Amino acid sequence: MDKPDPTRNTTTRTKKESLSKEERQKQLEFQKEAVVHLNSLYNYALHLTMNPSDAEDLVQETYLKAYRFFNSFERGTNCKAWLFKILKNNYINRFRKNSKEPGKVDYDLIKDFYHSIKDVQNDTSEAESDYFHSLLHEEVHQALHSLPEEFREVIQLCDIDGFTYEEIANMVESPIGTVRSRLYRGRKLLREQLEGYAKKYGFNTDKDH
Amino acid sequence: MSAAVDCELRVKEEEGFLLHLSECKECRDEFEDAKKTKMIIKEKIVQFKAPQSLFNSIMELTSMSSLEH
């Protein structure tokens, strides 16, 4: 991708050193701006692929690409949003290429996940016993993943990753109004799902009680 | 409604929205429900920590590509 540098042929040893210093600075900046979002990116990839090893590959590819094109990242804008967009594009390309079916959910995998990290999470609000608090992580996860992709996506980007509507609109390449209405409808669907779980446990979700 | 939950309303819109809420119980309830749903997702969706090996390999990738150039 890089254009040949005409000065490169005449590079002296000192020039070479200063170049690598520049590179090192880029590296440091990249770590500060981009690598700090590793966890968010990894979780986003997990939600997309539902498979830890695919998620790792996707994140790696994303960072490699991001590093290569780091100069085109507009300083001062949201780096996390930039990375998410790259990851999403990678994901689309990869699944198109492999013609693998995206959105296939492995519920056992989710379950295993949650069990393996269960103890890490501390539930501070255990005392409250309404259905809200009785919901299990994996149930919310399942409910979220039962939503149509376009709803799940905006809810995730908004509620989990904290992006603004404008950033989300840019990522999903739809107008802000569409993002708004998808959020609205998605949350409504989700609420119905969650209330279904609540009823299963015998909690009364009727507000007047 | 979703814009209100996410604090994405413009000042004018928000004024109108709050005024309406004060008069309409149905929307008040729905607003509460919508806020609750957002909170459930925020609290209940577990964020995993990326594996250390992934972190290491990304650090390696970025330093390797600096050697290539």
Side-chain angles (χ1 to χ4, degrees), chain A residues 37 77-86 163 167 171:
Chain A
H37 299 300
T77 60
N78 190 342
C79 189
K80 189 173 155 186
W82 183 69
L83 291 166
F84 267 56
K85 182 112 199 237
I86 298 175
F163 290 115
E167 287 163 346
M171 263 181 252

Side-chain angles (χ1 to χ4, degrees), chain A residues 2 23 27 31 39 43 60 63 67 114 132-133 135 137 155 159-160 164-165 180 184 187 190-191, chain B residues 2-3 6 8 30 34 37-38 40-42 44 46-48 50-51 57-59 62-63 65-66 69:
Chain A
D2 285 347
E23 195 68 40
Q27 236 170 289
Q31 283 161 18
N39 280 338
N43 279 279
Q60 266 198 26
Y63 272 108
Y67 189 69
Y114 282 106
F132 179 104
H133 291 94
L135 284 169
H137 301 295
I155 289 180
D159 294 346
I160 301 176
T164 65
Y165 284 10
R180 269 192 193 201
Y184 178 73
R187 285 194 183 127
L190 193 68
R191 206 147 59 227
Chain B
S2 53
D6 301 319
E8 290 261 359
E30 195 180 332
T37 310
K38 182 181 171 107
I40 288 176
I41 297 165
K42 263 177 125 167
K44 295 289 182 180
V46 177
Q47 292 292 93
F48 297 101
S57 68
I58 282 161
M59 296 301 268
T62 55
S63 54
S65 54
S66 75
H69 294 260

Side-chain angles (χ1 to χ4, degrees), chain A residues 5-197:
Chain A
D5 182 354
T7 61
R8 212 166 241 188
N9 293 336
T10 57
T11 310
T12 59
R13 187 171 276 270
T14 50
K15 195 127 191 214
K16 215 171 190 174
E17 270 164 15
S18 79
L19 246 179
S20 76
K21 207 182 266 173
E22 221 171 79
E23 195 68 40
R24 216 170 302 142
Q25 204 163 13
K26 178 184 166 191
Q27 236 170 289
L28 278 178
E29 199 194 344
F30 187 75
Q31 283 161 18
K32 224 171 70 190
E33 282 271 356
V35 181
V36 291
H37 299 300
L38 174 62
N39 280 338
S40 300
L41 232 65
Y42 177 64
N43 279 279
Y44 183 47
L46 272 179
H47 276 278
L48 288 175
T49 62
M50 269 301 144
N51 174 319
S53 83
D54 282 351
E56 284 195 39
D57 287 352
L58 202 53
V59 171
Q60 266 198 26
E61 261 177 47
T62 303
Y63 272 108
L64 194 60
K65 211 176 251 177
Y67 189 69
R68 210 175 288 150
F69 297 105
F70 194 44
N71 291 333
S72 69
F73 165 63
E74 216 177 298
R75 301 299 190 272
T77 60
N78 190 342
C79 189
K80 189 173 155 186
W82 183 69
L83 291 166
F84 267 56
K85 182 112 199 237
I86 298 175
L87 190 141
K88 176 79 190 289
N89 285 340
N90 273 358
Y91 170 74
I92 291 170
N93 289 337
R94 174 182 279 254
F95 278 102
R96 273 206 197 124
K97 243 186 264 162
N98 297 356
S99 64
K100 224 159 111 186
E101 203 179 317
K104 231 181 112 208
V105 180
D106 185 344
Y107 286 114
D108 284 340
L109 197 73
I110 300 174
K111 226 172 198 163
D112 285 349
F113 260 148
Y114 282 106
H115 284 294
S116 62
I117 43 84
K118 207 168 57 186
D119 301 328
V120 187
Q121 284 268 316
N122 56 328
D123 283 319
T124 47
S125 49
E126 211 54 66
E128 293 175 71
S129 62
D130 63 2
Y131 90 91
F132 179 104
H133 291 94
S134 76
L135 284 169
L136 298 173
H137 301 295
E138 60 198 70
E139 286 168 343
V140 180
H141 195 120
Q142 266 185 35
L144 188 62
H145 275 271
S146 73
L147 298 181
E149 167 75 20
E150 72 259 36
F151 294 150
R152 183 187 61 72
E153 183 176 41
V154 290
I155 289 180
Q156 188 188 339
L157 292 172
C158 180
D159 294 346
I160 301 176
D161 294 301
F163 290 115
T164 65
Y165 284 10
E166 200 184 331
E167 287 163 346
I168 297 170
N170 182 347
M171 263 181 252
V172 302
E173 289 170 0
S174 306
I176 287 185
T178 308
V179 173
R180 269 192 193 201
S181 77
R182 280 186 194 165
L183 276 169
Y184 178 73
R185 288 163 64 198
R187 285 194 183 127
K188 217 166 179 178
L189 280 174
L190 193 68
R191 206 147 59 227
E192 283 161 18
Q193 286 271 348
L194 293 176
E195 277 171 9
Y197 285 121

